[in-house]
Amino acid sequence: MRPALTVFASLMFFALFAPVAPALPAESLDEGMMFGGQWSDVNNTTTDLSNLTDLPAVVEVYTATWCENCVDVEHALDEVQEAGLLEQYHIHRAIGENQDPFGSEAIDARWNAKYGQNAPPAVVFNGSMKKSGSVTDEASLADEFTGLANTDLALGAGSTSFGWTPTSTNSGTVTWNLDIDAVHLENSTLNVTAWVVEASAEFEEGSNGLGTYPHIVLDIVSLGSDLQGSVAIQIPEANDGDDLQVHLIYEIIPVAEEPTEDVSIEDSNDSESVPFLTTFTTITVLLGAAWARSNNVNQTGRRGHRIQ
């Protein structure tokens, strides 16, 4: 009985005094920004014209079917989405993954290259602010996400039109026209993309207990860099059901500046003086050695003369 009490007391001690994961504030990224979120069911013909100021926040969610903390994050995001402030895009971990059937290695590799490798959950708002983990310093996660979703991208006056026309059960044509102040594109590139999203899919084996997994990103198709255009795309197979969607997303990516070599005159002079110093030092050492040898020979000679 006594050993059992000891074990119980130890467990209670660790439960009370174990360190709590700190709240990680959202960090600003240097990846430019993303906006858009206009969409259509793949089976419907759709046209939409929206002011840039009326667009919801584009929210990428890094998640997995085994991630229990992800459930808290996603429920908080659902609450903010119901208020019309954001559009969710769930990217499931795929590289080295064997428990989650919804991931794509290409899309996972894109996340890692763009936002860095990390364990789920992580949430990126408009490609510019990243929140890792599920702990918050705000009153609730929903409050923190509301603040991030309301962050103004300062796109100014402008509009975006989106069109989707299905041409078969697995293909269709995306059209777009972006009216935006040219100042936003200075020293930057525009990347227009179509995201194929599955509204939800079932996976009862998911160990986080969610069961139904929403907003699954199946494919990201580049449409080019023009402000307007029309591109035919293929639609991948759904995991289950018939609830695929096509979303229009714009990315403005800063052009990376090439590093320049800055070799100062002082460094150059120092480098050029090294051979001279080396030669001078060598001569000094040789002269010193010769003097010491000569002095040693003279002393030896005098000692030999005294012995005789």
Side-chain angles (χ1 to χ4, degrees), residues 57-111:
V58 171
V59 179
E60 298 168 85
V61 185
Y62 194 59
T63 186
T65 59
W66 47 262
C67 172
E68 294 183 6
N69 291 345
C70 295
V71 177
D72 295 333
V73 169
E74 292 165 21
H75 285 167
L77 288 170
D78 289 342
E79 185 178 332
V80 182
Q81 182 163 349
E82 287 174 5
L85 297 179
L86 59 83
E87 194 70 48
Q88 296 181 61
Y89 301 91
H90 289 199
I91 292 157
H92 284 251
R93 185 178 181 273
I95 298 174
E97 179 63 59
N98 56 17
Q99 301 180 57
D100 191 326
F102 300 133
S104 157
E105 290 200 357
I107 295 174
D108 195 2
R110 169 197 169 275
W111 174 280

Side-chain angles (χ1 to χ4, degrees), residues 119-158:
V123 184
V124 174
F125 287 76
N126 295 322
S128 58
M129 296 292 293
K130 178 180 177 183
K131 165 72 177 181
S132 298
S134 60
V135 183
T136 180
D137 281 333
E138 304 285 341
S140 67
L141 274 172
D143 285 345
E144 184 173 6
F145 291 157
T146 297
L148 291 169
N150 280 322
T151 301
D152 188 5
L153 293 179
L155 294 173

Side-chain angles (χ1 to χ4, degrees), residues 158-265:
S159 63
T160 169
S161 67
F162 161 71
W164 168 252
T165 305
T167 53
S168 72
T169 55
N170 61 351
S171 64
T173 301
V174 179
T175 59
W176 73 96
N177 189 333
L178 176 62
D179 176 19
I180 188 171
D181 193 323
V183 69
H184 293 294
L185 302 178
E186 292 178 358
N187 300 317
S188 300
T189 57
L190 174 67
N191 186 24
V192 186
T193 54
W195 293 38
V196 181
V197 176
E198 187 167 9
S200 66
E202 301 296 323
F203 184 58
E204 293 298 331
E205 294 83 358
S207 59
N208 64 6
L210 200 56
T212 301
Y213 296 87
H215 315 296
I216 302 169
V217 178
L218 299 183
D219 198 9
I220 298 176
V221 182
S222 177
L223 304 177
S225 58
D226 295 331
L227 290 172
Q228 60 182 9
S230 178
V231 174
I233 67 170
Q234 295 295 309
I235 301 298
E237 292 290 330
N239 288 287
D240 58 39
D242 185 21
D243 57 354
L244 297 186
Q245 305 165 347
V246 176
H247 293 241
L248 178 66
I249 305 291
Y250 300 102
E251 292 181 274
I252 295 180
I253 306 169
V255 175
E257 295 184 2
E258 302 226 351
T260 57
E261 271 187 45
D262 183 16
V263 180
S264 66
I265 296 176

Side-chain angles (χ1 to χ4, degrees), residues 302-308:
R302 285 196 295 273
R303 284 198 300 271
H305 181 69
R306 285 198 297 272
I307 292 172
Q308 289 177 355

